[in-house]
Amino acid sequence: RMFSSYKPRNDVKDSYKILELEEGCSLDDVRNSYRNLAKKYHPDSSSGMADSKAFIRVDEAYRVVLNDLTAKQKSDPGEEEEDQFKSKSLQHRHYLSFEGVGIGTPSQREKQYMQFRVDRATEQVLEYRQQRLESRYAGSDLSRAKDVRQSKKVKITQAVERLVEDLIQESMAKGDFDNLSGKGKPLQKFSDSPHIDPMTHNLNRILIDNGYQPEWILLQKEIRETIERLRKSIVASRRKLGEPMTLPEQKQWSRICEQFAEDIRKLNKRVDNFNLVVPIMSRQMVHFSMDKEILRARKTYEAVMEKVSDSDTKENEGEEGK
């Protein structure tokens, strides 16, 4: 549009006002103002003030101001020439894309460019096929002889296959296959499923025989063993402190709970890794709660203490009876 014969409707003073500038400003000020206003009003921007009409007015005002500055610098011998302004003028990104194909809005240009690519690909395919046919049927006697020999081989192979098929059908009509064992039953190729792929079955059998296990199964086993170990360790630590706990024992119990919470946090990271690799959605695991695990440890400790007290009571009753 900079090199077209289109004449803007804005005059110089209005153009300076639209660009929020004053006459006599520098070229850098004009560029910075145009850049800021384009970011604000351009339809493709994410600004809340995007407006295509306002952007057109800003663009026209920018070109008017550029022409005014060019005219002023032509009258001044010490200024740069017009070519420098044209080389530094801003170009919008959608005029530099689509290989310069198409006119109109960016969406229209994109549709025209896609059609251009389809037409170009079609022409290239046709040219490639033409070259391939020309190279294949170049009139060479050797190529023709080779094609004749190949066609004879194909005919012989097809004739043999038809002969074998006719013999099989004739034997079936005579009843030669009626006495075969397992007639009418599926083939027992594998012990698990007769429909499984032979290559997959053999690979799975080799892996299983050598002790291979998928990653998610190993992670699941590791997570279960870790949580059981943590539960047993915290119950054992609670039993060592006794009942009731003194003030130093309460501080020690707080440190044990903090370490237990850190172990639970690390275990939950392993749970996240497990959920990323498990192939079945129903096998995914939820995070372990530190509060629930502490409550569970307390209940386990109380149940153990009740069993111990019951056993002591029975022993005392037996001694009194004796």
Side-chain angles (χ1 to χ4, degrees):
R1 292 188 297 176
M2 291 291 294
F3 300 99
S4 65
S5 60
Y6 173 76
K7 295 181 180 180
R9 294 173 292 180
N10 299 332
D11 57 2
V12 178
K13 292 184 179 181
D14 293 338
S15 299
Y16 277 104
K17 290 181 180 179
I18 292 174
L19 293 178
E20 300 176 359
L21 297 171
E22 296 180 356
E23 294 186 10
C25 59
S26 63
L27 180 60
D28 292 335
D29 296 336
V30 176
R31 290 172 181 165
N32 293 332
S33 178
Y34 174 73
R35 188 181 297 109
N36 295 331
L37 293 175
K39 291 180 180 178
K40 183 186 299 184
Y41 295 118
H42 197 279
D44 292 342
S45 65
S46 59
S47 173
M49 301 177 65
D51 187 1
S52 59
K53 296 181 180 180
F55 175 71
I56 292 173
R57 291 196 298 271
V58 170
D59 188 63
E60 292 178 354
Y62 173 68
R63 290 187 284 110
V64 170
V65 171
L66 280 182
N67 293 332
D68 181 62
L69 291 177
T70 303
K72 289 180 179 179
Q73 290 189 359
K74 278 184 178 180
S75 61
D76 296 335
E79 297 292 336
E80 296 180 355
E81 297 183 356
E82 181 182 1
D83 295 337
Q84 296 181 358
F85 292 103
K86 291 183 179 179
S87 62
K88 295 181 180 178
S89 61
L90 295 177
Q91 294 180 351
H92 192 256
R93 59 180 175 81
H94 72 266
Y95 290 105
L96 302 176
S97 58
F98 307 129
E99 301 181 12
V101 176
I103 58 174
T105 61
S107 59
Q108 293 174 350
R109 289 168 58 85
E110 183 178 2
K111 292 180 181 178
Q112 296 170 13
Y113 178 65
M114 295 299 294
Q115 185 63 36
F116 168 75
R117 291 184 61 187
V118 172
D119 297 339
R120 184 173 61 184
T122 304
E123 293 177 358
Q124 292 177 355
V125 170
L126 292 176
E127 291 178 359
Y128 171 75
R129 289 181 177 177
Q130 184 179 359
Q131 294 175 1
R132 188 175 180 182
L133 291 174
E134 290 177 355
S135 62
R136 181 181 298 179
Y137 302 104
S140 176
D141 296 336
L142 294 176
S143 62
R144 290 179 182 177
K146 184 178 180 181
D147 293 339
V148 171
R149 288 195 300 270
Q150 187 174 2
S151 62
K152 288 183 178 179
K153 289 181 180 180
V154 171
K155 290 181 181 179
I156 293 172
T157 304
Q158 293 177 353
V160 172
E161 290 178 354
R162 287 196 298 269
L163 177 60
V164 173
E165 185 67 24
D166 293 340
L167 293 175
I168 292 174
Q169 293 294 335
E170 184 179 356
S171 299
M172 292 176 63
K174 292 180 180 179
D176 295 338
F177 297 152
D178 293 341
N179 297 326
L180 296 178
S181 60
K183 178 184 177 182
K185 299 179 181 180
L187 297 176
Q188 299 294 332
K189 294 189 295 183
F190 309 111
S191 59
D192 296 332
S193 174
H195 309 289
I196 194 171
D197 181 27
M199 182 63 68
T200 304
H201 174 81
N202 292 331
L203 289 176
N204 291 337
R205 180 176 55 80
I206 293 171
L207 292 174
I208 292 172
D209 293 342
N210 288 273
Y212 172 79
Q213 290 182 346
E215 182 182 2
W216 66 275
I217 292 181
L218 296 177
L219 280 174
Q220 186 180 32
K221 183 178 180 181
E222 181 183 358
I223 290 170
R224 289 177 178 175
E225 292 178 352
T226 304
I227 191 62
E228 291 297 329
R229 178 174 54 80
L230 292 176
R231 287 170 179 172
K232 291 180 180 179
S233 64
I234 194 170
V235 171
S237 300
R238 180 65 185 87
R239 291 184 63 182
K240 291 180 180 179
L241 298 177
E243 185 70 27
M245 291 187 294
T246 61
L247 184 60
E249 290 176 345
Q250 291 179 359
K251 293 181 180 180
Q252 185 178 358
W253 173 248
S254 300
R255 290 193 296 269
I256 293 172
C257 291
E258 291 177 358
Q259 182 61 37
F260 182 75
E262 180 66 19
D263 296 336
I264 290 294
R265 185 182 63 82
K266 294 179 181 179
L267 184 61
N268 287 332
K269 288 186 177 181
R270 297 183 186 176
V271 172
D272 293 335
N273 296 333
F274 170 78
N275 292 334
L276 290 175
V277 298
V278 63
I280 306 173
M281 294 294 293
S282 60
R283 293 293 186 90
Q284 289 190 346
M285 303 175 66
V286 297
H287 283 186
F288 295 97
S289 175
M290 186 266 186
D291 298 332
K292 291 182 179 180
E293 294 297 332
I294 292 293
L295 182 61
R296 178 174 181 170
R298 289 178 180 176
K299 291 181 179 180
T300 304
Y301 170 73
E302 292 175 357
V304 171
M305 295 305 295
E306 287 180 0
K307 290 181 180 180
V308 172
S309 61
D310 291 341
S311 61
D312 293 340
T313 302
K314 290 180 180 179
E315 289 179 358
N316 294 332
E317 289 179 354
E319 291 179 356
E320 289 178 359
K322 290 181 182 180

